[in-house]
Amino acid sequence: MRVVVALGGNALLKRGEPMTAEVQRANVRKASAALADLARDHDIVVAHGSGPQVGLIALQAAALKDVPPYPLDVISAESIGMIGYLVEQELANALPQGTRLATLLTHIEVDPGDPAFGRPEKPIGQVYGPAQANSARAEHGWPMVEEAPGRWRRVVPSPLPKRIVQIEVIRMLVDAGVVTICVGGGGIPVVRIADGGLQGVEAVIDKDRAAGLLAEDLCADAFLMLTDVDAVYLDWGTPEQRPIGKAAPAELSALGFPAGSMGPKVEAACIFASRPGRIAGIGRLEDARAILEGRAGTLVTIR
């Protein structure tokens, strides 16, 4: 079975943890153990998020007062290279010796007219208190959103992915049996310019939507979105919250989930699983095999 696995940025750098290289490597090592277990029986393709890491690098770059801020697409490439390096190395250590792996920085074309460019909504980076948020807004010109009372984060545009530029290269690697790490951070967003070339833009593509497009283009059998939450819940955050074990795409999409949290995952799962024979799963990283086998998380498939 060909399985596309999307690792959430918060699964690799958990909320409240120090954003150090040591902490990230330790989390990637745990993730790689779960991925290696899955790879024993399936052909896996790995995508990953990078929201916390993009915010960290942007903050570090902004601290250099005599250097103009790097554009977000370049910062995204830095974060994707950093995470890809860690994932490839730790996954190679967890897999049998001689396993072939490759990490590919991936460009994803977006529509320059996408309304998201006029409506920044994608949170990235660290959480700020009210005073810190006001300082960051004033100093860097960043739009901010209050995710929870007193908890602010920077927001950036999140256009829809249209086309994976390197999809043929990815397909060649996967067909050749190479464990491929790609579409990191949702891919690097680019637009087509007048002369037919590509140009990076200030945006972050939702990694679940990008990974869903990857799963579609690779004709994958399964698509797993692994995060720090054990399943999709009804009435999340209330005393009546309860997990959804299995659901058909039409049933799940009709329930409605917040755009800032579970919404993109549910949307991507429902789109991919809308064809018979395909399955999509959402749940905890450590439950990867159990989710694929229908023993944990939320499984989306046509019954």
Side-chain angles (χ1 to χ4, degrees):
M1 183 181 290
R2 178 172 290 179
V3 184
V4 169
V5 182
L7 303 176
N10 286 327
L12 301 179
L13 188 61
K14 296 176 174 55
R15 292 177 178 88
E17 286 185 326
M19 299 176 75
T20 65
E22 292 77 15
V23 167
Q24 291 189 71
R25 182 178 287 279
N27 287 338
V28 169
R29 187 173 295 126
K30 292 176 184 176
S32 296
L35 293 176
D37 175 61
L38 207 59
R40 289 208 315 265
D41 305 308
H42 306 286
D43 297 325
I44 66 169
V45 184
V46 182
H48 59 79
S50 65
Q53 293 82 0
V54 166
L56 170 65
I57 294 173
L59 197 63
Q60 291 173 331
L64 298 173
K65 303 300 182 184
D66 56 342
V67 178
Y70 274 46
L72 190 55
D73 59 310
V74 175
I75 291 173
S76 293
E78 290 183 66
S79 70
I80 294 163
M82 174 180 69
I83 299 169
Y85 159 69
L86 293 173
V87 171
E88 181 175 334
Q89 189 174 84
E90 293 301 330
L91 191 52
N93 290 339
L95 288 168
Q97 191 169 4
T99 300
R100 296 181 296 168
L101 298 95
T103 301
L104 185 69
L105 284 177
T106 312
H107 299 170
I108 295 190
E109 190 175 343
V110 301
D111 183 351
D114 192 304
F117 285 108
R119 192 179 61 243
E121 293 179 338
K122 179 70 173 177
I124 64 168
Q126 70 183 77
V127 174
Y128 296 91
Q132 292 174 309
N134 287 333
S135 295
R137 187 187 293 113
E139 185 175 357
H140 307 302
W142 293 343
M144 307 289 287
V145 65
E146 191 174 21
E147 288 191 309
R151 295 169 58 87
W152 292 79
R153 290 180 75 193
R154 179 188 178 189
V155 288
V156 299
S158 184
L160 295 174
K162 288 178 56 182
R163 186 176 72 89
I164 300 172
V165 176
Q166 289 95 349
I167 188 60
E168 293 302 329
V169 177
I170 294 169
R171 190 176 287 118
M172 284 192 297
L173 288 168
V174 173
D175 287 347
V178 177
V179 177
T180 306
I181 301 152
C182 57
V183 190
I188 303 166
V190 297
V191 295
R192 189 73 58 180
I193 55 179
D195 65 0
L198 297 171
Q199 179 176 290
V201 291
E202 291 273 308
V204 171
I205 300 170
D206 182 85
K207 70 102 178 40
D208 295 312
R209 291 188 174 115
L213 178 60
L214 175 68
E216 181 75 32
D217 286 350
L218 292 178
C219 299
D221 303 291
F223 173 35
L224 300 183
M225 285 163 279
L226 305 178
T227 181
D228 56 353
V229 178
D230 64 343
V232 179
Y233 277 75
L234 287 172
D235 301 319
W236 173 256
T238 73
E240 290 77 33
Q241 72 176 35
R242 55 206 183 278
I244 300 171
K246 292 184 180 180
E251 296 171 342
L252 195 60
S253 61
L255 295 174
F257 293 89
S261 57
M262 196 57 74
K265 287 181 173 56
V266 168
E267 176 189 302
C270 291
I271 290 172
F272 179 78
S274 61
R275 290 190 186 179
R278 291 180 175 179
I279 58 174
I282 302 172
R284 294 188 305 179
L285 176 59
E286 53 266 40
D287 295 334
R289 176 178 287 275
I291 296 167
L292 188 61
E293 296 173 356
R295 298 182 286 107
T298 298
L299 200 67
V300 186
T301 186
I302 294 177
R303 294 170 177 169

